[in-house]
Amino acid sequence: NVQNNHWTLCVVHIQENQIRYYDSLGGRGKEIMSNVLRYVCDEAKAKLNKTINRKAWKLVNKSGPEVPKQNNDADCGVFVCAYALYLSKGWSFDFSSRNMPAFRKRLAVEIYNGAATQSS
């Protein structure tokens, strides 16, 4: 949550030593990715007694033109859910801001029916 008013998504790829940042407003996210990397390193040390070489990690901004953007001030959370769904399924981002009303309704139905908490 950026400045308590905008949702973004960071994805940690452990095997690839990479953190990817998705922002529907096109933000850079360098500080956020650095904080996530610090958390990953701290957790590895605390839980696994393993030291991670931070310099071996790549921080990747995935908020370029290939990533769908919102065109209002209200859809960032829905975009984060869409990014997470599409990434988890291995789908390419073939949606846009005009799909958000339908996606928002789909999320509401899935939450209401409990489908959002069940694995598929």
Side-chain angles (χ1 to χ4, degrees), residues 83-97:
Y83 294 155
L85 174 66
Y86 276 63
L87 290 167
S88 71
K89 300 287 188 181
W91 300 339
S92 60
F93 291 151
D94 64 352
F95 60 89
S96 71
S97 59

Side-chain angles (χ1 to χ4, degrees), residues 1-10 21-27 29 32 63 67-70 72-84 104:
N1 190 324
V2 179
Q3 298 177 349
N4 289 324
N5 68 2
H6 178 60
W7 291 99
T8 63
L9 178 67
C10 270
Y21 179 76
Y22 299 84
D23 185 341
S24 59
L25 290 178
I32 292 168
S63 299
V67 175
K69 303 293 186 293
Q70 69 186 83
N72 61 30
D73 293 334
D75 283 342
C76 57
V78 183
F79 268 87
V80 165
C81 292
Y83 294 155
R104 186 182 295 273

Side-chain angles (χ1 to χ4, degrees), residues 1-119:
N1 190 324
V2 179
Q3 298 177 349
N4 289 324
N5 68 2
H6 178 60
W7 291 99
T8 63
L9 178 67
C10 270
V11 180
V12 179
H13 294 272
I14 299 289
Q15 278 93 2
E16 298 173 32
N17 287 358
Q18 196 172 96
I19 295 175
R20 298 179 192 154
Y21 179 76
Y22 299 84
D23 185 341
S24 59
L25 290 178
R28 306 291 299 150
K30 185 173 182 171
E31 182 179 353
I32 292 168
M33 288 186 284
S34 294
N35 289 339
V36 169
L37 178 56
R38 183 178 324 109
Y39 172 79
V40 168
C41 292
D42 291 349
E43 286 296 298
K45 187 66 174 167
K47 304 273 179 14
L48 305 172
N49 198 28
K50 182 177 180 181
T51 301
I52 292 178
N53 177 6
R54 291 178 193 221
K55 293 181 182 187
W57 281 69
K58 187 173 181 182
L59 307 180
V60 181
N61 181 310
K62 298 293 280 184
S63 299
E66 74 281 0
V67 175
K69 303 293 186 293
Q70 69 186 83
N71 61 3
N72 61 30
D73 293 334
D75 283 342
C76 57
V78 183
F79 268 87
V80 165
C81 292
Y83 294 155
L85 174 66
Y86 276 63
L87 290 167
S88 71
K89 300 287 188 181
W91 300 339
S92 60
F93 291 151
D94 64 352
F95 60 89
S96 71
S97 59
R98 70 178 182 277
N99 302 113
M100 290 303 109
F103 200 85
R104 186 182 295 273
K105 287 178 186 173
R106 175 184 169 187
L107 284 172
V109 168
E110 288 181 359
I111 291 168
Y112 180 79
N113 291 330
T117 60
Q118 299 172 4
S119 61

